[in-house]
Amino acid sequence: MSFSLYVHIPWCQSKCPYCDFNSHAAASWPEADYTRALISELEYRARAPSYSGQRIRTIFFGGGTPSLFDPKSIGQIIEAASRVCGIEDDAEITLEANPGTVDLAKLVGMRAAGVNRISFGAQSFNAATLKFLGRIHSADETRAAAKMAHRAGFERLNLDLIFAVPGQTVADVMFDIESVAALEPDHISAYNL
Ligand code: SF4
């Protein structure tokens, strides 16, 4: 038996106006305290009989913007999960990332910390749509982030798109689909706004 672990990191650089997630704009965040709290909760919950003898088959760091965290913090959480529960050898460990919050060093650090799948919120490659959605990143930052992820050793890459944005035409959506496909992700998630 195995189970999946979802880890929520609730901070973002700014709050997108369409977002209903538990996420909060912040200039700084209590990263060390929150990491310790997550590990304590993991240790506590792992003692429940329902988890006894079970290993972890997937971990998903969602948010919020988990890529705001330092790779060392993410690594500490993965190490704790491995120590407390055990992680299956072929486990998928995903981190959601905002293209405007990463550079090559951070992605290399996340890969070294044990993350093996990265999921970027691309949303659109149209500057006006990104502005309407309140996104902090540009289309070029998404293109650069996807290339850096491949260089950092991520074989599994997801890119999120949002469609049905007010004013968006079918041609706009086709442009977004062609743009995202050109970056050769192995997975694309498209969400109706
Ligand atoms: S970056 Fe994501 S989680 Fe943060 S406010 Fe925007 S949509 Fe919500």
Side-chain angles (χ1 to χ4, degrees):
M1 288 286 284
S2 60
F3 68 99
S4 293
L5 178 68
Y6 174 75
V7 181
H8 194 72
I9 311 280
W11 294 282
C12 294
Q13 279 190 7
S14 67
K15 182 78 179 174
C16 305
Y18 63 88
C19 177
D20 285 333
F21 295 120
N22 174 12
S23 65
H24 310 276
S28 64
W29 42 90
E31 183 165 329
D33 285 348
Y34 191 73
T35 299
R36 273 194 294 275
L38 283 173
I39 292 171
S40 295
E41 182 169 1
L42 184 63
E43 290 167 343
Y44 171 74
R45 290 187 184 272
R47 289 198 287 270
S50 52
Y51 291 112
S52 174
Q54 291 200 53
R55 287 159 67 83
I56 297 172
R57 68 171 174 273
T58 67
I59 302 178
F60 193 99
F61 290 90
T65 307
S67 55
L68 290 177
F69 269 33
D70 190 280
K72 278 188 192 152
S73 305
I74 300 297
Q76 285 168 6
I77 297 164
I78 295 171
E79 276 171 30
S82 176
R83 171 173 50 80
V84 172
C85 304
I87 299 175
E88 292 185 348
D89 291 342
D90 59 350
E92 182 176 271
I93 303 181
T94 301
L95 182 105
E96 281 190 332
N98 188 307
T101 64
V102 296
D103 55 21
L104 183 59
K106 178 168 270 191
L107 291 171
V108 167
M110 292 297 186
R111 187 71 192 85
V115 177
N116 57 23
R117 180 172 180 265
I118 200 102
S119 175
F120 286 120
Q123 318 310 11
S124 176
F125 291 80
N126 179 306
T129 303
L130 288 171
K131 188 173 178 198
F132 178 88
L133 293 172
R135 303 295 302 188
I136 63 167
H137 70 275
S138 66
D140 281 346
E141 283 176 319
T142 298
R143 292 187 180 98
K147 284 179 189 150
M148 286 190 289
H150 285 307
R151 278 179 65 197
F154 285 99
E155 291 178 3
R156 285 179 260 189
L157 170 66
N158 172 66
L159 294 169
D160 288 344
L161 284 182
I162 292 179
F163 65 95
V165 178
Q168 199 175 37
T169 64
V170 171
D172 292 335
V173 174
M174 290 308 298
F175 175 74
D176 281 346
I177 292 170
E178 285 160 12
S179 299
V180 83
L183 298 176
E184 301 184 345
D186 66 308
H187 192 269
I188 299 168
S189 304
Y191 298 95
N192 184 329
L193 181 64

